[in-house]
Amino acid sequence: MQRYFSTGFNYLIAFILVMATAISVNAQYSIWSFRAGPSLAFQRWNGLGSTQPLIGYHGIIGMESYEPGKTSSFYGELGYHQRGSSKYVPAYQSNAGINYNSYTIRNVFHNVGLALGGRKSFGPNNKFFYNLALRGEYTIKAQLSDVFVGFSEFVRKFNYGVDVGAGYNFPIGYHMGFVQIQLQPDLSKQIWSTRYSGYDYQGNPVTYPEQKVINYTFELSLGFRLFGNLIPED
């Protein structure tokens, strides 16, 4: 685990250096951005019953190019994302006559993501924008519920996907605030396992079907671009 984390950390450092160099070379100015908010994550499991969305959160720091008079920009982001799914278990009575209350189980994947993409502003005073980016992620921790614990060994640490989003800008003095909604489908599998025999959380033998679990996430963000309104556009 330590070796994987060290490798992932080296990738993060390399990415930040490349991102900062690329933005500095290709733009007259660069600005920092921060955004955070709630997430709605989805997964589909094979043969283990239906799942519901997982309500989580995210936090991102980014660097963005800026040139007066231009409505498009290049950006890079480093962020924390919660991926996964949940499952509602209704109240029930066991064979021994014991009553159990309803509860919700949660499968949470704590991922660090790196994204490189472009943003385009449009509309009156460029108040609206849309963005598109490629994203890579590293899973630093996977929290699987008892029902799904047998799949821990099949968690894939590295994944990748795309970001498609849109939002609204609003000035805050010399800075710029924004609200953004973003869809983040993965193009790789968070869990990939063939059919295998194992044991459930009670120690009973069970055969699990093949799993190809992919993350789909909606993120709603409130953000801030530091000095994003300092230089007026022509």
Side-chain angles (χ1 to χ4, degrees):
M1 176 65 182
Q2 185 177 1
R3 177 172 61 87
Y4 285 120
F5 182 80
S6 177
T7 302
F9 183 76
N10 290 336
Y11 282 137
L12 295 184
I13 296 298
F15 177 87
I16 293 172
L17 292 176
V18 171
M19 179 181 71
T21 301
I23 292 177
S24 298
V25 169
N26 291 286
Q28 185 174 355
Y29 305 98
S30 60
I31 56 177
W32 290 94
S33 64
F34 310 88
R35 65 181 179 88
S39 306
L40 197 62
F42 300 83
Q43 292 176 332
R44 177 174 294 178
W45 293 74
N46 177 30
L48 297 177
S50 61
T51 60
Q52 288 79 43
L54 171 75
I55 299 176
Y57 58 88
H58 61 276
I60 290 95
I61 182 173
M63 181 180 285
E64 181 179 341
S65 66
Y66 178 81
E67 294 189 48
K70 285 193 174 182
T71 58
S72 59
S73 62
F74 173 80
Y75 71 89
E77 291 184 332
L78 170 64
Y80 166 77
H81 307 267
Q82 287 190 341
R83 314 294 188 194
S85 58
S86 66
K87 184 179 179 66
Y88 175 75
V89 179
Y92 66 97
Q93 186 179 70
S94 68
N95 294 333
I98 301 174
N99 293 318
Y100 291 90
N101 295 326
S102 62
Y103 61 96
T104 299
I105 60 178
R106 288 162 50 90
N107 297 317
V108 186
F109 298 85
H110 303 270
N111 292 358
V112 174
L114 303 168
L116 279 175
R119 180 180 287 106
K120 175 72 173 180
S121 299
F122 65 97
N125 299 318
N126 294 321
K127 288 186 176 181
F128 302 95
F129 68 88
Y130 60 87
N131 65 282
L132 178 65
L134 296 176
R135 169 179 42 81
E137 291 190 356
Y138 178 78
T139 300
I140 57 177
K141 184 178 181 181
Q143 292 178 300
L144 294 177
S145 65
D146 290 341
V147 177
F148 296 85
V149 72
F151 295 97
S152 297
E153 60 183 293
F154 300 107
V155 173
R156 302 183 71 184
K157 293 291 186 180
F158 289 96
N159 285 279
Y160 57 90
V162 297
D163 295 348
V164 181
Y168 175 80
N169 295 313
F170 53 92
I172 307 175
Y174 290 134
H175 312 289
M176 185 70 72
F178 63 95
V179 177
Q180 180 180 19
I181 185 169
Q182 191 160 244
L183 171 63
Q184 297 180 317
D186 279 2
L187 302 178
S188 60
K189 302 170 184 66
Q190 181 75 76
I191 290 181
W192 192 3
S193 70
T194 58
R195 185 174 182 269
Y196 80 102
S197 297
Y199 297 90
D200 63 17
Y201 68 100
Q202 294 178 326
N204 301 313
V206 62
T207 299
Y208 294 102
E210 180 185 30
Q211 299 294 332
K212 296 179 180 179
V213 181
I214 299 175
N215 294 318
Y216 301 91
T217 310
F218 284 99
E219 291 186 344
L220 177 62
S221 303
L222 180 62
F224 183 78
R225 293 191 180 95
L226 189 63
F227 296 118
N229 197 38
L230 178 61
I231 305 169
E233 296 187 354
D234 297 335

